[in-house]
Amino acid sequence: MAGLAAFGLLTAGCSTGGTGTRDEGEAHTDKVAGHASATPTATAEAPFKKINAVRLLKADPKVSERVKADLKPCVKDEYPIDVSYGHITGAGGQDVVVNVMTCGDAVGLGSYVYREDGSSYNNVFTSEEAPVYAEIDRGDLVVTRQMYAKGDKPAFASSEIVTTYRWAGTKFAKHDQVENDFSKAVGNDEGEGTEAPVPPSP
């Protein structure tokens, strides 16, 4: 009898301490069926609507002919573009950030923000000061420009300027700007400035 009582206490403790997602099994489901309405359920947000970014760029008069000329597939039908979906303009619909890059070294040629307006998209931001790349960061638009000095290699820029924009009613306004200067000793594949000092001979 003592063993049965202990087993009863153990099962009672488990049923009251469950978290819902961690409890499994049909028997447990039958026990809590009468309390199903009290269990919170997660509601998944509707996914973003995917767009044909290449077609959008080619039809956009704000995209320069230079960028359009470079907008070609790298391999088969794979274009050198990155597309991000989010909400950064306060609109009821979605916003789309599109970055156009080169195929070889992924240098950013242009960054664009499109705001959904019914069945169409309006270009509300354009930056073609290459190399440039735009991202969505916690509701803000963050644009990074790599700055190259004479002699810099494509993979090692001397610095970068990171500008944060926020939507101000009808357009983006600059909110913050940061400049990062990079060490020329780090990542130097020729070994200049990276060798460890040689200890003196005894």
Side-chain angles (χ1 to χ4, degrees):
M1 291 299 289
L4 291 175
F7 178 76
L9 289 174
L10 178 61
T11 55
C14 291
S15 63
T16 57
T19 59
T21 57
R22 294 175 60 87
D23 296 327
E24 302 175 358
E26 295 181 359
H28 179 74
T29 303
D30 293 338
K31 287 182 181 180
V32 299
H35 302 284
S37 60
T39 303
T41 57
T43 56
E45 295 184 1
F48 290 103
K49 295 173 291 186
K50 305 301 181 181
I51 66 167
N52 187 326
V54 174
R55 181 183 301 171
L56 188 63
L57 291 167
K58 289 184 175 181
D60 185 359
K62 293 184 179 180
V63 178
S64 69
E65 293 302 321
R66 174 182 59 84
V67 172
K68 289 180 180 179
D70 288 330
L71 190 57
K72 300 176 182 178
C74 297
V75 179
K76 294 183 179 180
D77 58 347
E78 294 294 329
Y79 284 82
I81 60 172
D82 286 344
V83 184
S84 300
Y85 299 87
H87 300 285
I88 53 177
T89 68
Q94 65 186 18
D95 299 308
V96 184
V97 176
V98 184
N99 288 286
V100 181
M101 299 164 290
T102 60
C103 289
D105 44 16
V107 172
L109 300 177
S111 298
Y112 313 89
V113 179
Y114 293 94
R115 190 175 194 237
E116 185 179 19
D117 183 14
S119 59
S120 62
Y121 286 87
N122 297 326
N123 184 328
V124 293
F125 181 88
T126 296
S127 178
E128 295 182 338
E129 297 177 271
V132 63
Y133 195 88
E135 300 174 280
I136 297 174
D137 184 7
R138 292 169 289 185
D140 292 333
L141 174 66
V142 180
V143 180
T144 302
R145 287 191 60 217
Q146 301 289 329
M147 309 299 291
Y148 290 89
K150 185 178 180 179
D152 284 349
K153 297 180 180 179
F156 301 106
S158 291
S159 62
E160 68 178 8
I161 296 178
V162 182
T163 307
T164 301
Y165 295 91
R166 286 185 178 172
W167 188 251
T170 59
K171 62 181 181 179
F172 284 102
K174 184 185 297 183
H175 174 70
D176 187 42
Q177 192 170 69
V178 176
E179 181 172 351
N180 300 312
D181 292 332
F182 302 127
S183 170
K184 292 186 178 298
V186 177
N188 189 330
D189 57 3
E190 295 180 357
E192 298 178 1
T194 60
E195 295 181 359
V198 178
S201 301

